[in-house]
Amino acid sequence: MAIDQELYRPPPPVTPPEGGSWRQRVIPWWPHPNILTGILLGAGGYALGHFLGNVIAGNWARFGNTNMNDVALIIGYLVATLGFLVGIGALNYPVAKIFGLDPPLAKAAPRGLSRYFAYTPDHKVVGWQYLIGMLIYFFTGGMFALAIRTELLFPRYHSHIFNPETYLTIVGIHGTMMMMMMTSVIVGPFGNYFVPLMIGAKRMAYPRLEALSFWLTPPAYIILLSTMLVGGFPTGWTGYAPLANEAVQGMDGYEVAFALMALSLIITSVNMIATIVDFRAPGMRWTRLPMFVWGALTTSVLTALAPPVLFAGLYFMGMDRTVGTALFVDAHGGSSYLWENVFWFFGHPEVYILALPGFAIAAELLPVFTRRRLFGYNVSAAGMIGVCFMSWFVWQHHLFVSGINADMRPLFMLTTEVISIPTGFIYLVAMATLWKGKLRFEVPSLFVLAFYLNFLIGGVSGVFLSDVPVDVTVHGSFFVQAHFHYTIMGGLIFAFFGAIYYWIPKMTGYEMNKTLGWIHFWVMFIAFQLTFIPLFIVGELGMPRRYFEYAPKWATLNQTASAGAYAIAISMIIFVINLVYSMVWARKRSVENPWFSRGLEWQTATPPPPDNFERIPLVLSHPYDYGNPIEDIPVADLRGVPTPAVLAASAAGVSGGSDEIDDPPGPGAGPGDRGGEQ
Amino acid sequence: MSEAGERTAREMPRALRMGLVGFSFAAVASAVGVWGVGFLRTGPPPVAAKVVRTASGCNAYLTIQTVGSIGYGPRPSWVSYLVQNTKGQWVHSTIFVLPSHCTIHMTNYEYDGVTPLRNNVFGRVTGTVGGKEYVTGDVGSKKYSTSTPVSVVDGATVPAHTFTVPALGINVPWAATTASNLCAVAPCSPKSPHDIDKITFKTGAAGYYRWQCIVPCGLNFLDGNGGPMQTMGYMQGFLAVEQS
Ligand SMILES: [Cu+2]
Ligand SMILES: [Cu+2]
């Protein structure tokens, strides 16, 4: 029991180096690996990889007449990514360790603003990087959405803004970029930033992997956009074979970008699971785990298992397109069904990778704003585990009209309908929490309410779609498109903005402007309905997805949807104005804990200090004990783990079992580890 | 306490720096965005046919050539269509501007060799005046030195490409030369071996009509269906039929 004395002792004071002040040892930002050195080596890596690819495959017959060497392009992308990671310093630590050296510049990690452009093991910096990174992804994908809606303003005849293949590329980049972004949009920023704070840890389990998971996303972004330069890709985000096999070089960028994102997701999830399982503070029992952490955990289980399948599929496709295997080519013994199955075996759990974090945010925020205990905490957590498990048994509902064995269809219709039961658990728990609650209408709670409304429409239309007869009728139409935009954009993105408004005061110490927040919400909410309700109707009338022309009788509905899309863009501009105004211009100090949350993340200083907590807190009670007589019981004792005697008394009385006390700081923890955080 | 003090002292420059970083980022992003929109909007130019109006009606003359490899541009090895503008220059485009309710006299200089059709249905000439095309040159093993009407060809030995406009019911398998020393750089000189294929068809109401080559001629792409077959300016295009 002397362990706490050893572990939570403040670090020894750092003495300035000989012959100079400490200040001089702080090296300026530019010799430290940063995003610019990364870009430099990335560009060099591309040139090198492309050259190598041409040496290897320049005279292969299969590229003879196409004037496109897929081998050179893919090796170029891969070496560029490697070069970027080397340039940003991702390999400094492991390589130095291999040779038994001190990690270069570890003691002189950049401070201030420049650390946000560097490879850093600080989970709060990575959270910020993810937040800004995913917003850039989101806004870029949104620009492509606007391009789609602009093309569809007029049905046909001299009104085309783009060529048909350009339109398909725009649809493909919009879909792929949004899907890549959505998988990380909550767990990336808020998971990395808040999970350690919410479970009472000082950091994530694998800080360097955490940085790696983020720094894989900028190359993925650039590579995906670069597909435009080499002819684009015609498949949309689903990359169906054999269209993908016969597509031009743009397809290679889709493969590499999506694969990098899959890798990033796998790394994030491993880190998240290890952190949540191993790094909980004493007293943070499973039954006290905040719903957001439950969401991050179940999502991470899915992202640990589903993206590897996608990665394998993309690898197969890359092999087909480069060295000439025929895994997806029916004529040579492969099967295009293989791609469809592999893709959706990833793709359907992916749907829940998008849904669960939204539910987690909503369930996390609701008790705070209703001042009520979360109704059925166990049911909600069980629902998440149920969804996590069930989501592996539904993927063939995407293949109902593909010509699969017809006997499979009732089975997958049934499993798809069954998964709405655990989803219903999570949903009804929230409704019961709202029931007779006194809801405070703050900006975050508005976004949460909108989340539930939108998800209701998206979810119920999803139950329709799971029925084979309905799916056979509306498959591949805008009905499907409207359905998943209601669940993903109407669900996840509304939850995402709710989370931004909720947590930004904690992350920065400054308030978001409330009036602008209200305007943002109402413009976005109304514009969202204006965009996607007409698309349900045109889809039901038979308008297919991914076509750049349509029957003139659908013009009014399409124009309404386009107007809605422009209004969503306006709401995003209002959000950016609010963010810049509140964080850079007005800088109004937020009060500590403005929402009166019991969450552990609100108990520490604002913004959180480098190590989150001065001492590892001792969690004393449930995070959602609002409105109970015991609300006065503090959620945690921030003085940390007390002396063994007090500890024993508290463990017997109010708090967690003694087995959780010797919570280790994790493998590999050492003085050098926090170099980047200082 | 000292940390808080330090933060206050650095507050303004920090805000300023954040603003500057944000501003330069926004500037770069909008520049890239503007360039991106321009880039995405690039495509083959619309080229108008030569229109002659007389008391008897409207006649338009559209002259194109098909070449096995264009020889220049970003995809030099791709099979392509070119069209003559009203000044007689060859333009690499597949968007033809035609007047509505007009008789179109279309001439194709076919410099490419034979690529078999996958479905013989498209070996039949449909939608043209008289259901015929008029060929000078090779039709399989037959050789015509004068313009000879043809209404159906053998899909395996005759066509190079097709001109297929589903909305107008037009399908024309362009008869190909059987010579081997084909022109590889457009525009081709009439000294290179070629067939001359002529059709006449009527445009109806104004509209934007898609046309496509049905011969799977994307060499070295899976099933011959990739690359030029999927790209504007190569094996697909539009008839922009304008109100006249
Ligand atoms: Cu699904
Ligand atoms: Cu062709």
Side-chain angles (χ1 to χ4, degrees), chain A residues 175-459:
Chain A
T176 314
M177 182 158 284
M178 288 300 200
M179 281 298 180
M180 281 161 56
M181 174 275 287
M182 299 284 181
T183 47
S184 299
V185 75
I186 304 265
V187 173
F190 302 116
N192 280 313
Y193 197 106
F194 283 108
V195 161
L197 281 159
M198 290 174 118
I199 62 174
K202 293 195 172 194
R203 60 175 177 86
M204 294 289 286
Y206 307 117
R208 281 176 297 278
L209 280 186
E210 181 187 31
L212 180 63
S213 71
F214 170 74
W215 286 108
L216 283 169
T217 64
Y221 173 86
I222 300 287
I223 289 170
L224 184 65
L225 286 181
S226 78
T227 58
M228 289 188 287
L229 300 173
V230 285
F233 60 98
T235 59
W237 81 284
T238 51
Y240 266 26
L243 186 55
N245 290 66
E246 66 191 30
V248 291
Q249 273 180 310
M251 210 67 225
D252 300 328
Y254 161 88
E255 286 159 26
V256 176
F258 219 166
L260 288 178
M261 202 65 185
L263 200 59
S264 158
L265 288 172
I266 298 164
I267 294 169
T268 308
S269 61
V270 168
N271 196 9
M272 201 59 74
I273 294 169
T275 308
I276 296 169
V277 172
D278 287 340
F279 275 56
R280 280 168 297 128
M284 179 54 80
R285 305 166 180 166
W286 288 110
T287 49
R288 284 175 181 166
L289 209 59
M291 283 321 293
F292 177 70
V293 181
W294 270 115
L297 181 66
T298 46
T299 305
S300 296
V301 170
L302 290 177
T303 41
L305 299 174
V309 182
L310 172 73
F311 194 93
L314 291 166
Y315 176 70
F316 291 170
M317 188 195 285
M319 289 293 108
D320 271 15
R321 289 179 50 83
T322 52
V323 299
T325 57
L327 286 143
F328 301 133
V329 185
D330 303 68
H332 303 298
S335 169
S336 48
Y337 275 126
L338 178 61
W339 170 263
E340 294 184 25
N341 279 290
V342 165
F343 183 82
W344 286 114
F345 192 77
F346 148 78
H348 197 89
E350 150 103 356
V351 171
Y352 291 98
I353 291 171
L354 311 184
L356 283 174
F359 273 114
I361 294 272
E364 182 67 35
L365 268 55
L366 260 194
V368 179
F369 290 99
T370 52
R371 313 311 296 167
R372 297 190 73 202
R373 229 192 136 99
L374 185 69
F375 181 91
Y377 169 92
N378 294 342
V379 177
S380 192
M384 284 186 177
I385 295 167
V387 166
C388 179
F389 177 73
M390 280 300 299
S391 65
W392 297 97
F393 304 98
V394 297
W395 82 95
Q396 287 222 346
H397 60 212
H398 296 274
L399 280 69
F400 280 162
V401 296
S402 68
I404 53 166
N405 182 350
D407 293 342
M408 298 295 271
R409 305 204 296 194
L411 173 65
F412 280 92
M413 171 170 142
L414 186 70
T415 56
T416 306
E417 282 167 1
V418 166
I419 202 171
S420 59
I421 294 173
T423 316
F425 279 9
I426 312 175
Y427 198 96
L428 292 175
V429 160
M431 293 305 106
T433 309
L434 274 172
W435 185 253
K436 289 184 180 169
K438 286 197 219 87
L439 187 68
R440 281 184 296 160
F441 287 97
E442 302 280 354
V443 178
S445 57
L446 286 176
F447 274 103
V448 167
L449 287 183
F451 164 86
Y452 283 109
L453 183 76
N454 292 337
F455 200 92
L456 184 68
I457 299 173

Side-chain angles (χ1 to χ4, degrees), chain A residues 65 67-68 158 161 165 246, chain B residues 41 74 76-77 220 232 242:
Chain A
N65 194 44
N67 187 38
M68 325 188 281
H158 267 205
I161 317 282
E165 71 265 17
E246 66 191 30
Chain B
R41 292 211 55 199
S77 60
N220 277 335
M232 273 288 140
E242 293 186 335

Side-chain angles (χ1 to χ4, degrees), chain A residues 12 58 71 88 91 134 136 150 164 194 217 323 364 366 375 378 404 421 473 486 558 654:
Chain A
V71 174
I88 201 156
L91 302 184
M134 291 304 114
I136 291 171
T150 307
F194 283 108
T217 64
V323 299
E364 182 67 35
L366 260 194
F375 181 91
N378 294 342
I404 53 166
I421 294 173
T473 314
Y486 257 95
N558 270 290
V654 275

Side-chain angles (χ1 to χ4, degrees), chain A residues 621-632:
Chain A
S621 62
H622 200 273
Y624 305 119
D625 271 340
Y626 297 106
N628 281 0
I630 56 161
E631 186 170 353
D632 291 342

Side-chain angles (χ1 to χ4, degrees), chain B residues 70-107:
Chain B
I70 177 105
Y72 60 86
R75 308 290 191 202
S77 60
W78 281 12
V79 50
S80 300
Y81 277 88
L82 287 86
V83 59
Q84 218 165 28
N85 66 16
T86 44
K87 290 180 203 147
Q89 295 153 328
W90 288 105
V91 182
H92 181 208
S93 177
T94 50
I95 300 176
F96 310 144
V97 182
L98 305 173
S100 64
H101 303 289
C102 191
T103 304
I104 313 296
H105 305 270
M106 186 175 184
T107 305

